[in-house]
Amino acid sequence: MTEQIAEMKPETAGVASTKPEAPLIDLMGGDLRRQIDVHDHGFVALCDVMPRLVPEGQTADMAIVQAARVSYGQGTKKISEDRGLIRYLLRHRHTTPFEMVEFKFHCAMPIFVARQWIRHRTANVNEYSGRYSVMPDRFYRPTTENVHRQSTSNRQGGEESIGAGTAGDFLEYLAKAEALYAEYERLHEDGVSREQARIGLPQSIYTEWYWKCDLHNILRFLSLRLDAHAQAEIRDYAQAMWDLIAPIVPVTVEAFRDYEMESMRLTRLEIEAIRAGGAEIDSTNKREQAEWQAKREQLGMDGARA
Ligand SMILES: Cc1cc2nc3c(=O)[nH]c(=O)nc-3n(C[C@H](O)[C@H](O)[C@H](O)COP(=O)(O)OP(=O)(O)OC[C@H]3O[C@@H](n4cnc5c(N)ncnc54)[C@H](O)[C@@H]3O)c2cc1C
């Protein structure tokens, strides 16, 4: 069998192969994985990327350009520069070429973060099984300054640090939940199945998974989970993912910052307010008004609060 493989050559009869003009380089520099630690026990590790081997001087952005050119054909002569083409595609939401790049990650995160993450349905996921294996004794605890007060403006969110006293009470509450792990172990030793013993463990316990996704859907994940409205903990994971992919698809990441992350959408009412030179929008909805004021501040418009 080994000999058979050794004898196999890429150029077999009837197969046409193309050699790159420049030598191929590994976009992961020969690394098996590149890991960024998150919090106390979490991590995001990049394990693979497609394309991984590209001609020297190129990045995985080339796969986007390659796919786009098949659909635009002669038309791309007008947008001949690769960077310009990628920026055009992103601006005009021509998304399928971005699906030609894929990333595979190994990640460890607390279950409450995993519950938010798994909502992104277009990824391929394989998760640690608490039925098959014993849950590891690892729990997430925020630092004292990262215990947040309930936001008054956003029911889903937290705001500034709550202060050491109440934060201490909160951390004690987490410690009590973690102490249930000893009960979990004892009950499992007494014969309770792993699949049932685990159900009393808190959401702060860690799970892990392999997560593979194409670039188009990763960008969507990142735009939602790096946003200030996302929970701080999942934002930390999204930031690690962003940092890992940025050197591999630098042109796309730059365009995504320009046209999505650091851009702004204006509603019809907001456009009308700008045209009329007014500070107010024609709406009595308080949330809409507040969002408009936030945009005015971001734009540095006259009279907007700094
Ligand atoms: C700040 C924030 C708060 C949230 N709060 C809540 C909450 O309170 N409750 C809650 O349940 N969820 C909540 N979510 C989750 C949210 O509703 C989405 O489920 C999640 O963000 C995934 O988005 P998505 O469906 O676009 O992503 P993906 O599942 O990755 O899908 C990507 C895109 O693929 C397409 N797609 C995927 N599957 C289908 C399908 N079956 N049919 C049609 N099109 C499909 C859609 O275009 C979709 O936008 C929250 C998310 C955020 C970011």
Side-chain angles (χ1 to χ4, degrees):
M1 187 64 181
T2 323
E3 275 172 29
Q4 262 180 333
I5 291 170
E7 279 170 17
M8 281 167 66
K9 297 207 174 94
E11 291 126 316
T12 48
V15 175
S17 72
T18 309
K19 296 268 181 289
E21 280 172 20
L24 292 175
I25 52 149
D26 177 357
L27 287 174
M28 287 186 61
D31 297 339
L32 275 182
R33 56 194 270 140
R34 288 181 176 174
Q35 179 168 322
I36 295 182
D37 292 337
V38 181
H39 307 143
D40 35 13
H41 306 294
F43 58 79
V44 179
L46 177 62
C47 300
D48 213 349
V49 54
M50 185 182 86
R52 180 160 177 166
L53 295 181
V54 298
E56 201 168 28
Q58 297 267 14
T59 61
D61 292 304
M62 69 165 282
I64 300 159
V65 172
Q66 186 184 52
R69 294 222 153 104
V70 90
S71 61
Y72 288 106
Q74 292 301 309
T76 45
K77 284 197 172 151
K78 287 187 209 131
I79 323 159
S80 54
E81 192 217 339
D82 291 358
R83 180 171 174 272
L85 176 57
I86 287 180
R87 292 174 73 79
Y88 172 87
L89 294 169
L90 248 170
R91 256 193 338 273
H92 294 275
R93 288 181 279 174
H94 291 201
T95 53
T96 45
F98 296 92
E99 294 170 17
M100 299 300 153
V101 178
E102 289 197 327
F103 289 91
K104 183 169 77 178
F105 298 95
H106 177 202
C107 317
M109 74 297 278
I111 281 177
F112 72 92
V113 170
R115 283 210 57 196
Q116 297 178 342
W117 199 325
I118 201 72
R119 299 301 304 278
H120 297 267
R121 296 160 289 175
T122 53
N124 304 114
V125 186
N126 196 61
E127 188 177 3
Y128 185 90
S129 168
R131 297 179 72 194
Y132 196 79
S133 309
V134 173
M135 293 297 288
D137 184 9
R138 291 198 302 262
F139 296 88
Y140 168 70
R141 272 195 218 182
T143 55
T144 305
E145 47 298 350
N146 281 324
V147 180
H148 301 124
R149 182 181 296 285
Q150 172 60 46
S151 165
T152 47
S153 58
N154 172 5
R155 281 198 194 182
Q156 275 194 333
E159 278 179 341
E160 78 276 10
S161 197
I162 197 162
T166 313
D169 293 346
F170 173 71
L171 294 174
E172 223 171 276
Y173 150 74
L174 288 186
K176 282 184 199 150
E178 289 169 25
L180 287 170
Y181 192 83
E183 292 289 293
Y184 163 76
E185 277 186 313
R186 186 184 62 76
L187 288 163
H188 180 234
E189 276 164 24
D190 287 351
V192 176
S193 62
R194 284 185 290 273
E195 67 181 3
Q196 288 188 315
R198 67 176 172 167
I199 68 180
L201 291 169
Q203 290 187 40
S204 58
I205 199 163
Y206 275 79
T207 184
E208 58 185 88
W209 60 35
Y210 276 84
W211 194 86
K212 181 167 75 69
C213 195
D214 65 67
L215 181 59
H216 164 60
N217 284 292
I218 287 179
L219 294 176
R220 178 164 180 84
F221 171 84
L222 291 172
S223 88
L224 288 167
R225 300 304 179 177
L226 281 173
D227 188 89
H229 294 95
Q231 185 163 347
E233 281 85 357
I234 197 166
R235 282 207 314 261
D236 296 334
Y237 285 89
Q239 186 61 53
M241 192 183 287
W242 174 274
D243 293 344
L244 286 165
I245 71 163
I248 293 177
V249 279
V251 179
T252 303
V253 160
E254 182 200 32
F256 195 64
R257 279 186 66 185
D258 293 347
Y259 303 135
E260 173 72 29
M261 303 297 285
E262 294 172 29
S263 74
M264 177 187 291
R265 257 183 216 126
L266 295 175
T267 67
R268 180 178 64 79
L269 301 182
E270 290 165 348
I271 292 169
E272 279 176 4
I274 291 173
R275 280 196 184 127
E280 306 299 330
I281 52 167
D282 186 16
S283 167
T284 52
N285 182 296
K286 290 221 159 26
R287 179 162 289 195
E288 251 184 293
Q289 288 173 353
E291 285 170 9
W292 168 231
Q293 286 311 320
K295 286 180 192 176
R296 293 187 74 236
E297 281 167 35
Q298 209 180 328
L299 289 167
M301 287 174 74
D302 281 348
R305 292 180 295 274

